[in-house]
Amino acid sequence: MDNIQSIKNRFGIIGNSPALNYALQVAIQVANTDLTVLIVGESGVGKEVFSNIIHSLSARKHNPFIAVNCGAIPEGTIDSELFGHEKGSFTGAVDSRKGYFETVSGGTIFLDEIGEMPLGTQARLLRVLETGEYIRVGSSKVQKTDVRVITATNRDLLDHTQQGKFREDLYYRLNTVPIRVPSLRDRKEDIYLLFRKFCVDFSERYKSPSIQLDDEARDILVNYPWRGNVRELKNMAEQISVLAVDKLVNAKELRRFLPEIQETSRLPMLAGPQSNGNSDFASERDILYKLFFDMKKDVTELKKMFFDILQNPNIVHNNNFQDNHVMHNFHPQQEVVTSNSSTALSSPQPFILQDNNKIDHHEEVEETLSIADKEKELIVKALKKHKGKRKDAALDLGISERTLYRKLKEYNINE
């Protein structure tokens, strides 16, 4: 425990939550090896700090360390950035250039946002991890490198492998030692400590009194979701330090600096775009909920219409129909679905409609209650509403675009 505390002091880490301490313990244990490490956590939790800890405690600490954001490098140039290129290998390659794997040989390379790496580059990276070999862009000469690779992501890479966006063999190669950095809302006991530290730092920088929170404001601070994690908390602390009129901030004043939280309905509903991480099962479950509610609404309205006609036959007469022939074969004793029933209507009864004492036609009131048919109908309506745009239709239906594509094939729907 003393070792963990010394690491916290050295790298400016604030907090005592068990999840944070465990992540630090794993980083310390794996640092003195050459194992590949995958750091997982939401954006803003401080994943790069863990890569620095691992490198600083390793035998490579006196050799180069470089952090590369894979999501910030264009797809067309990332191979050149990582592995180098030869002169004339592509337009603009006026000279040969070393890549990161060559310049930091003997040291450590930290690949942040590894989930954004193109598939072609993933194949090159896998070869480096397995054999230590790589080839410059535009070259046929195999070169060797001795680099320890630490990666980080805020995405579910296993889900990406199932979608074909990430190589499965690379995932298991990178996931030799996973370190999960907890989100800020999972370490609530650390939120106020971090806030106080940031406020003290800013007061020293701006030569102003430090901010204080009353008890109610502190409760709001601790229970706020902090989707941007430590980064968001730090930015908010800086805003308050600069803009707060009274240095003792109450709950009303604090709310001015916090974005409004949208309260979500507790009723079953279609998942929004933020649910992109959910499984197809969850998405289909949500759309089935909507189907059931729509079906129940239709049945209730149909029952109400039947009862209105029975109780007031003039309703039919006012619509130019002979009331003595309406509901000819309908009997109240037959089964009727109540509003709290979960069963379907019994076999439909024919209506015999007569005008001017002549039977024009008879029609059978029958509406399919098949879930599959309802689902197909909703999909067709959504596509028509959004003029065939799958992405917008999927968003409206609350399912992923991949699920919508599968449903189009399943129901043989032509857009």
Side-chain angles (χ1 to χ4, degrees), residues 234-372:
K234 184 176 181 180
N235 291 341
M236 195 275 295
E238 185 170 19
Q239 287 183 43
I240 295 178
S241 297
V242 175
L243 301 177
V245 178
D246 190 348
K247 295 306 176 182
L248 178 60
V249 177
N250 57 29
K252 182 179 180 181
E253 180 75 2
L254 180 62
R255 287 194 182 97
R256 291 200 308 113
F257 297 96
L258 295 175
E260 292 185 8
I261 307 170
Q262 296 290 336
E263 292 188 4
T264 56
S265 171
R266 296 188 180 185
L267 294 175
M269 60 181 293
L270 291 177
Q274 69 276 18
S275 304
N276 55 6
N278 291 347
S279 64
D280 288 344
F281 174 78
S283 298
E284 293 183 12
R285 178 193 62 199
D286 291 331
I287 196 172
L288 286 178
Y289 274 136
K290 187 176 187 303
L291 287 171
F292 285 137
F293 279 114
D294 288 345
M295 289 167 62
K296 182 177 179 180
K297 181 181 177 183
D298 292 342
V299 170
T300 303
E301 290 178 354
L302 187 60
K303 182 204 68 169
K304 183 177 182 298
M305 181 186 72
F306 287 165
F307 284 152
D308 287 345
I309 292 175
L310 286 175
Q311 294 173 3
N312 187 10
N314 291 330
I315 294 177
V316 180
H317 183 72
N318 291 337
N319 284 283
N320 299 323
F321 291 104
Q322 294 293 332
D323 59 317
N324 59 329
H325 291 287
V326 175
M327 305 295 290
H328 178 73
N329 287 327
F330 180 81
H331 302 285
Q333 295 83 0
Q334 291 182 342
E335 180 184 2
V336 178
V337 176
T338 59
S339 61
N340 60 351
S341 171
S342 60
T343 58
L345 287 171
S346 59
S347 57
Q349 302 297 321
F351 283 77
I352 297 180
L353 307 177
Q354 189 173 25
D355 189 16
N356 297 327
N357 297 322
K358 293 182 180 180
I359 298 177
D360 292 334
H361 66 281
H362 74 276
E363 65 180 28
E364 194 173 90
V365 175
E366 182 176 4
E367 180 180 2
T368 177
L369 298 182
S370 166
I371 291 176

Side-chain angles (χ1 to χ4, degrees), residues 14 64 101 150 153 174 291 294 342 349 355 401:
I14 306 294
F101 277 97
I150 302 173
T153 182
L174 294 175
L291 287 171
D294 288 345
S342 60
Q349 302 297 321
D355 189 16
E401 194 172 352

Side-chain angles (χ1 to χ4, degrees), residues 68-84 97 100 111 116-118 120-121 124 137:
V68 181
N69 189 325
C70 299
I73 305 176
E75 184 174 344
T77 61
I78 189 169
D79 284 352
S80 171
E81 293 289 325
L82 295 178
F83 307 106
R97 179 185 180 278
Y100 298 138
L111 300 176
E116 304 294 333
M117 180 177 284
T121 310
R124 287 174 173 262
V137 177

Side-chain angles (χ1 to χ4, degrees), residues 59-195:
R60 299 172 179 264
K61 60 185 177 183
H62 299 299
N63 295 330
F65 171 86
I66 189 170
V68 181
N69 189 325
C70 299
I73 305 176
E75 184 174 344
T77 61
I78 189 169
D79 284 352
S80 171
E81 293 289 325
L82 295 178
F83 307 106
H85 64 258
E86 296 293 340
K87 180 179 179 180
S89 57
F90 55 86
T91 303
V94 295
D95 205 350
S96 297
R97 179 185 180 278
K98 292 182 179 181
Y100 298 138
F101 277 97
E102 188 172 352
T103 57
V104 299
S105 185
T108 305
I109 186 168
F110 172 56
L111 300 176
D112 197 6
E113 295 189 30
I114 188 68
E116 304 294 333
M117 180 177 284
L119 287 171
T121 310
Q122 291 177 28
R124 287 174 173 262
L125 176 60
L126 181 62
R127 184 177 181 186
V128 172
L129 293 173
E130 291 182 341
T131 66
E133 298 178 346
Y134 68 96
I135 301 175
R136 285 184 179 182
V137 177
S139 174
S140 58
K141 180 183 177 182
V142 176
Q143 300 194 54
K144 299 285 288 185
T145 186
D146 175 25
V147 175
R148 183 183 190 171
V149 177
I150 302 173
T151 59
T153 182
N154 59 5
R155 299 180 178 274
D156 185 349
L157 288 188
L158 189 58
D159 183 58
H160 269 39
T161 63
Q162 295 170 355
Q163 297 178 24
K165 297 179 181 178
F166 201 84
R167 292 179 63 102
E168 188 174 8
D169 47 4
L170 179 60
Y171 168 73
Y172 290 113
R173 187 67 179 79
L174 294 175
N175 201 36
T176 305
V177 179
I179 297 178
R180 184 168 296 276
V181 184
S183 64
L184 197 54
R185 60 184 171 275
D186 291 333
R187 38 186 291 225
K188 289 188 175 182
E189 62 268 41
D190 297 336
I191 293 177
Y192 188 64
L193 291 174
L194 285 163
F195 177 79

Side-chain angles (χ1 to χ4, degrees), residues 379 382-409 413-415:
I379 292 173
L383 287 170
K384 184 177 180 181
K385 175 182 175 182
H386 296 285
K387 300 179 180 180
K389 295 181 180 178
R390 290 184 186 174
K391 183 175 181 181
D392 294 338
L395 186 64
D396 204 359
L397 290 168
I399 58 177
S400 66
E401 194 172 352
R402 183 165 62 91
T403 301
L404 176 59
Y405 178 74
R406 179 164 57 78
K407 290 293 182 183
L408 292 177
K409 295 182 66 176
I413 300 174
N414 296 320
E415 300 174 65

